[in-house]
């Protein structure tokens, strides 16, 4: 009996360290996906982490990101109680990294060979000083034009490839009694449409100099003047019933054929599919005029905050799961975006997603993958806000000339380019 008891105690002592090592951690994630297919995809991610032995805790901000989410996040971080990860993207990642509160996931990235799976401009966006501190979930294409196929037939027109063709199609739709362009009343749409016009008018090099480098010569160039004039010309083709409200209302008008075209990222596809329409067939898709050889992107990502113990292991498992082929496929099928990994098969995706993925790969090879200014990928939030304000003024104030707008853009860029990083 005694020898048996000793053996049992010895086995328990040996087993205890193993049990404690295998104990799961808690994964608390700040995100904004609470409805529809997005919530279903996140549920799959939760299940994966739970299968790894971890506990998932939502830190959800209703109504999306915005200032409220960042205020709450900062409060948590300053109090020494950060979440495991937060939905942060683009230029905000290095801003957070400079505070010293982000955690390296370089070990996971190296083991999983992320540098081989991601275009360099994307991997660089996820790094601070060459070290991964965030994991990308998807890619949204911003320079996307949607055209109602029925409206195009009624106008006896073809999908436009240039801005002059775009306005010719708009004229034909107007004659056919169709509002040419659906346009929401949200000011971020102004900047999104403006950057797509700039890309089509000036090309990738101009876009890079103007919005990524804030080069005064680009902001005050003939190309910028033409961009502003082309952008303002769009306004005359927006019907009274095709403006106002949010982008979802505009997409609804597009779906119903009440409006013929919409300048909108591929998140519009979720609304198109929800209405029982087929992207690429009922509602046609293509690059915005003049931008077929480039790709402006908006990427959702999880920035990782400093945690310890079992939670650190859970954080690594989260990063690994987010970049897995399985999750990349499931999440992006639900989101309307495309996988950020370039080795995911696109068989299950619709025609527009497949075309977007092909363009993503081609643009990566030719160096024409460009971070979206409007969506905080190209510049810090303060810089985006300053440029945003100028473009909104130009859109809403017909008396403002292109020259005045260029001067204001140059002034805004100069002020923020000179400001020290926070």
């Amino acid at each position: 009996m005694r020898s048996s008891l000793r053996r049992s105690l010895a086995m328990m002592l040996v087993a205890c360290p193993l049990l404690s090592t295998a104990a799961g951690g808690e994964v608390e994630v700040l995100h904004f996906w609470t409805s529809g297919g997005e919530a279903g995809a996140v549920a799959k991610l939760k299940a994966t982490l739970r299968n790894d032995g971890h506990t998932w805790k939502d830190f959800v901000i209703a109504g999306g990101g915005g200032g409220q989410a960042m205020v709450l996040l900062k409060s948590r971080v300053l109090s020494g109680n950060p979440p495991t990860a937060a939905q942060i993207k683009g230029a905000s990642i290095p801003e957070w990294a400079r505070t010293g509160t982000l955690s390296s996931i370089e070990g996971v990235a190296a083991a999983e060979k992320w540098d081989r799976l991601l275009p360099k401009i994307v991997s660089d966006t996820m790094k601070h000083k060459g070290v991964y501190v965030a994991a990308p979930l998807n890619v949204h294409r911003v320079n996307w034009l949607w055209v109602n196929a029925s409206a195009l037939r009624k106008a006896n027109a073809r999908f436009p490839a240039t801005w002059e063709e775009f306005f010719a199609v708009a004229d034909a739709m107007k004659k056919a009694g169709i509002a040419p362009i659906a346009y929401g009343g949200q000011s971020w749409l102004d900047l999104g449409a403006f950057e797509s016009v700039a890309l089509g008018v000036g090309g990738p090099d101009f876009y890079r100099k103007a919005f990524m480098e804030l080069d005064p010569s680009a902001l005050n160039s003939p190309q910028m003047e033409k961009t502003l004039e082309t952008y303002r010309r769009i306004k005359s083709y927006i019907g009274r019933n095709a403006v106002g409200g949010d982008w979802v209302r505009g997409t609804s008008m597009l779906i119903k054929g009440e409006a013929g075209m919409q300048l909108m990222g591929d998140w519009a596809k979720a609304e198109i599919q929800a209405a029982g329409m087929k992207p690429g067939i009922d509602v046609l898709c293509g690059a915005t005029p003049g931008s077929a050889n480039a790709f402006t992107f908006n990427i959702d990502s999880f920035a990782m905050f400093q945690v310890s113990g079992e939670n650190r292991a859970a954080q690594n498992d989260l990063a690994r799961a987010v970049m897995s082929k399985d999750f990349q496929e499931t999440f992006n099928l639900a989101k309307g975006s495309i996988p950020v990994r370039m080795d995911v098969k696109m068989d299950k995706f619709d025609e527009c997603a497949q075309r977007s993925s092909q363009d993503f790969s081609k643009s990566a090879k030719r160096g024409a993958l460009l971070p979206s200014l409007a969506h905080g990928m190209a510049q810090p939030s303060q810089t985006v806000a300053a440029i945003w304000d100028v473009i909104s003024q130009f859109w809403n104030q017909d008396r403002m000339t292109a020259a005045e707008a260029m001067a204001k853009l140059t002034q805004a860029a100069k002020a923020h380019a000179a400001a020290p990083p926070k």
Side-chain angles (χ1 to χ4, degrees), residues 251-279:
T251 304
S252 176
M253 294 188 67
L254 176 78
I255 291 167
K256 296 175 183 177
E258 296 171 0
M261 299 184 286
Q262 186 180 33
L263 298 162
M264 187 61 57
D266 55 16
W267 48 88
K269 189 170 59 179
E271 298 297 318
I272 294 169
Q273 291 172 319
M277 306 280 276
K278 293 182 179 180

Side-chain angles (χ1 to χ4, degrees), residues 75-87:
S75 176
R76 285 282 303 274
V77 172
L78 289 173
S79 68
N81 183 32
T84 311
Q87 188 182 341

Side-chain angles (χ1 to χ4, degrees), residues 78-349:
L78 289 173
S79 68
N81 183 32
T84 311
Q87 188 182 341
I88 298 173
K89 62 183 182 180
S92 293
I93 294 172
E95 286 183 317
W96 275 102
R98 283 191 289 267
T99 68
T101 57
L102 295 189
S103 177
S104 167
I105 50 172
E106 186 65 27
V108 172
E112 301 289 318
K113 298 180 173 58
W114 288 8
D115 280 349
R116 296 184 185 179
L117 300 173
L118 303 172
K120 188 176 186 302
I121 192 170
V122 174
S123 61
D124 286 348
T125 304
M126 301 297 123
K127 296 177 181 179
H128 178 63
K129 295 183 177 179
V131 175
Y132 279 96
V133 293
L137 288 84
N138 63 348
V139 177
H140 277 296
R141 187 176 195 174
V142 179
N143 61 317
W144 216 222
L145 173 65
W146 302 94
V147 181
N148 182 286
S150 177
L152 197 63
R153 287 193 295 270
K154 289 178 181 178
N156 193 27
R158 295 181 179 180
F159 196 100
T162 67
W163 283 108
E164 286 307 314
E165 290 179 5
F166 175 86
F167 293 121
V169 172
D171 283 328
M173 287 182 173
K174 186 182 288 187
K175 289 180 181 178
I178 303 165
I181 303 170
Y183 201 94
Q186 296 162 293
S187 57
W188 63 268
L189 294 171
D190 297 340
L191 189 55
F194 173 74
E195 73 172 42
S196 289
V197 173
L199 181 60
V201 169
D205 288 341
F206 169 70
Y207 182 100
R208 192 177 291 106
K209 290 178 181 178
F211 301 140
M212 297 171 65
E213 300 173 10
L214 302 179
D215 186 338
S217 64
L219 295 171
N220 258 310
S221 65
Q223 291 167 309
M224 182 59 76
E225 183 177 18
K226 187 177 180 181
T227 294
L228 287 161
E229 291 171 349
T230 303
Y231 172 62
R232 175 168 279 169
R233 191 176 171 188
I234 292 172
K235 195 172 180 179
S236 62
Y237 289 95
I238 300 173
R240 292 182 180 180
N241 295 327
V243 68
D246 60 16
W247 68 269
V248 175
R249 181 176 179 274
T251 304
S252 176
M253 294 188 67
L254 176 78
I255 291 167
K256 296 175 183 177
E258 296 171 0
M261 299 184 286
Q262 186 180 33
L263 298 162
M264 187 61 57
D266 55 16
W267 48 88
K269 189 170 59 179
E271 298 297 318
I272 294 169
Q273 291 172 319
M277 306 280 276
K278 293 182 179 180
I281 298 175
D282 301 315
V283 181
L284 306 178
C285 56
T288 50
S291 71
N293 292 324
F295 190 114
T296 46
F297 64 82
N298 178 26
I299 295 176
D300 291 305
S301 55
F302 282 156
M304 305 296 177
F305 284 84
Q306 290 184 1
V307 293
S308 58
E310 291 86 357
N311 292 346
R312 183 77 176 97
Q315 185 179 71
N316 285 335
D317 283 344
L318 173 64
R320 192 175 293 108
V322 160
M323 272 287 286
S324 69
K325 282 187 177 182
D326 186 39
F327 178 76
Q328 287 278 317
E329 179 183 81
T330 301
F331 181 76
N332 287 289
L333 282 170
K335 188 81 163 54
S337 44
I338 61 172
V340 68
R341 288 180 58 141
M342 295 193 294
D343 64 342
V344 177
K345 291 183 179 180
M346 298 296 293
D347 300 3
K348 296 180 182 179
F349 288 80

Side-chain angles (χ1 to χ4, degrees), residues 232 235 393-401:
R232 175 168 279 169
K235 195 172 180 179
Q393 288 179 43
F394 182 75
W395 179 261
N396 292 298
Q397 298 175 17
D398 292 339
R399 292 183 179 180
M400 182 183 287
T401 65

